[in-house]
Amino acid sequence: MEIFTENAGLLLDAIGTTLLMVLVAGVGSLILGVLVTVARVSPIPILRRAAFLYVQFFINVPLLALLLLAVFALPDAGLILPLLPTAIIVLTVYEAAYVAEAVRSGINTVSVGQIEASRALGLTLWQSLRLIVIPQSLRAVVQPLGNVMIALAMNTALAAVVGVVELTSRVNKINLVYAQPIEIFTGAGLAYMLIALAIGLAAGRIERKVAILR
Amino acid sequence: MSTPNTNVASYLYEVPGPRGRRRIIIGSIISALIIAGVIGAGLWQFGSRGQLDADKWTPFLDLAIWKYLGVGLLGTLQAAAIVAILGASFGTLLALGRVSKVRWLSWLCAGYIEIARTVPVLLLIYLMLFGLPQLGINFPVLWKLAIPLTLANAAVFAEIVRAGILSLPRGQAEAAFSLGLRSSQVMRLVVLPQAVRNVTPSLITQLVSLMKDTSLGFIVAFTELLYRGQVLSSFNHLLIQTYLVVTIIYLLVNGSLSGLASRLQKKPGRRRTTIASATMALPLPTPGGQSPQKAPHV
């Protein structure tokens, strides 16, 4: 137990980095994912195709390969940012594909009558998307989006591989000094479970608040 | 593969009139320009650093490089196969435990599933890699990758199989019980086969995610595609080119699996629905009379 108290500062710092990544990449991927979904249902064929390819690309390519590409390879082409922002950007564009998939399945739950009614009222496409379709579809997929956010929280650990000192990386370093793997890794596992639990509870709460009872 | 534009998307707008068509054309041109601009800027950036020079790409015409990466791909497939088989078996057992009527077993399995889904795989791999050897427990390299992945994926497989079991109409199990089957037989002969068939698309999607996860073999230095790519890039110093080639290989392999999954999803349980609709259309069996004609097998 004293391992954790002795390294409290370092651990809190690391948890802070993890939470920062979850928060920024989470908000970013939600916004980007909704935009990709809008492109995917838009009447412009080229945008639909581009959004489809975007989602397919990120769903089929490992996050670790993208992280290595962005952190170690792209600087050769002069594209270089500090480490943490790079990791956050990669996480954002990666998870946005999953958000887009979830939101699209939500759009399918919006009943056709809603859309026909909005058209009958004379709303333009952009208005009916913004005011009618997207709000309802987001409400339908709160729980799936929560699962995407939990997956994002788990995926932040991969940033450790490219050198971001977040929770996983920090506990690994601490373990190399103290050599008490069971306690140290269990502690880190508990921290991740708490983060996931918090996201899950928040999703449940938001869902109860915004769910549409049909 | 064409862009799926069925269901709701087609209700969002009617067949456009002349004005709508003009707007769509303008929108198409603008978005094409933006996309082309982004791609062009990227290529220009690459080109200005000499990353598009022919001599940076010609090494990849060498067969030896493809053989070298091919061995890595085989490693990826091998690890994925092991994890898929172990994870699916363990996951099915977990799902059976989760839906069982024995209270403590159900709780135990539920607990395992929740924990395994909320702990990063990387943490488990670090434990295998750096933690357990300190205690004198050391696995071969393949298993340092396969064990954490199996532990994590089993939980996801369990959730998928459980969803399949729960989605099956109760009548199936009830009918099987009324035929005098024991509960293990009901599960094995009636419920599980149908449940698994119903969730096949999700299982394949999970297979894709599992293939992506094997790239963590990079960390334990297991010979898989990404690891080979890294070794290759430190040898030929063509970081961008090597990682791009590796990414594209992943994209092709996983993309074809995803394509299979979405094809299956479009025709869910074709065989079952035809039987169901056929039996619906049949006249009710007359008591003591002849059995209705057999449902056509598709």
Side-chain angles (χ1 to χ4, degrees), chain A residues 1-167:
Chain A
M1 204 58 225
E2 58 270 25
I3 299 172
F4 294 110
T5 45
E6 275 170 33
N7 295 290
L10 289 174
L11 282 171
L12 283 180
D13 224 32
I15 291 180
T17 310
T18 293
L19 287 179
L20 178 74
M21 282 198 283
V22 174
L23 211 66
V24 177
V27 173
S29 62
L30 283 176
I31 296 171
L32 188 57
V34 171
L35 290 180
V36 170
T37 314
V38 169
R40 218 170 159 187
V41 299
S42 73
I44 298 168
I46 190 168
L47 273 186
R48 277 212 303 267
R49 182 57 63 90
F52 175 74
L53 291 179
Y54 177 92
V55 172
Q56 286 301 312
F57 181 82
F58 286 106
I59 280 188
N60 288 315
V61 169
L63 175 61
L64 190 56
L66 297 172
L67 278 171
L68 293 177
L69 185 67
V71 174
F72 296 126
L74 286 188
D76 277 4
L79 300 169
I80 189 163
L81 274 179
L83 193 53
L84 187 60
T86 312
I88 290 179
I89 290 173
V90 173
L91 277 169
T92 304
V93 294
Y94 179 81
E95 294 296 337
Y98 288 89
V99 170
E101 277 291 89
V103 176
R104 194 174 69 102
S105 71
I107 285 191
N108 288 339
T109 67
V110 178
S111 69
V112 174
Q114 295 280 330
I115 298 164
E116 286 174 341
S118 71
R119 244 172 41 200
L121 286 172
L123 298 190
T124 64
L125 170 70
W126 176 239
Q127 283 174 324
S128 67
L129 272 180
R130 189 166 50 93
L131 301 172
I132 313 287
V133 179
I134 295 293
Q136 292 194 48
S137 51
L138 282 183
R139 283 167 172 226
V141 293
V142 173
Q143 208 69 54
L145 284 181
N147 286 339
V148 174
M149 291 300 119
I150 290 178
L152 164 67
M154 302 299 106
N155 281 337
T156 57
L158 287 186
V161 180
V162 294
V164 177
V165 183
E166 41 68 77
L167 186 53

Side-chain angles (χ1 to χ4, degrees), chain A residues 168-181:
Chain A
T168 301
S169 166
R170 175 57 70 198
V171 293
N172 189 36
K173 282 177 184 177
I174 291 177
N175 176 53
L176 291 181
V177 178
Y178 288 82
Q180 297 193 325

Side-chain angles (χ1 to χ4, degrees), chain B residues 17-85:
Chain B
R19 224 167 109 199
R21 271 205 298 276
R22 207 166 60 230
R23 273 195 196 152
I24 288 176
I25 289 174
I26 294 173
S28 298
I29 292 171
I30 292 175
S31 41
L33 283 179
I34 291 175
I35 292 171
V38 170
I39 293 175
L43 286 179
W44 185 81
Q45 177 75 29
F46 273 45
S48 69
R49 297 292 175 126
Q51 296 295 339
L52 294 180
D53 297 354
D55 61 329
K56 296 237 169 189
W57 290 93
T58 40
F60 289 93
L61 294 176
D62 192 353
L63 199 64
I65 280 190
W66 290 98
K67 270 192 188 150
Y68 188 77
L69 289 178
V71 174
L73 183 59
L74 279 184
T76 294
L77 294 176
Q78 184 199 1
I82 290 173
V83 175
I85 292 170

Side-chain angles (χ1 to χ4, degrees), chain B residues 274-286 290-296:
Chain B
T274 39
I275 290 174
S277 55
T279 37
M280 292 273 241
L282 290 175
L284 288 171
T286 43
Q290 87 287 22
S291 64
Q293 81 220 61
K294 270 191 120 174

Side-chain angles (χ1 to χ4, degrees), chain B residues 140-179:
Chain B
V141 171
L142 170 61
W143 294 100
K144 279 182 186 164
L145 173 68
I147 293 174
L149 283 185
T150 302
L151 292 180
N153 277 288
V156 187
F157 276 122
E159 284 296 272
I160 295 173
V161 172
R162 175 167 161 257
I165 292 175
L166 293 184
S167 74
L168 206 66
R170 285 172 62 105
Q172 293 286 337
E174 283 166 2
F177 275 119
S178 72
L179 287 173

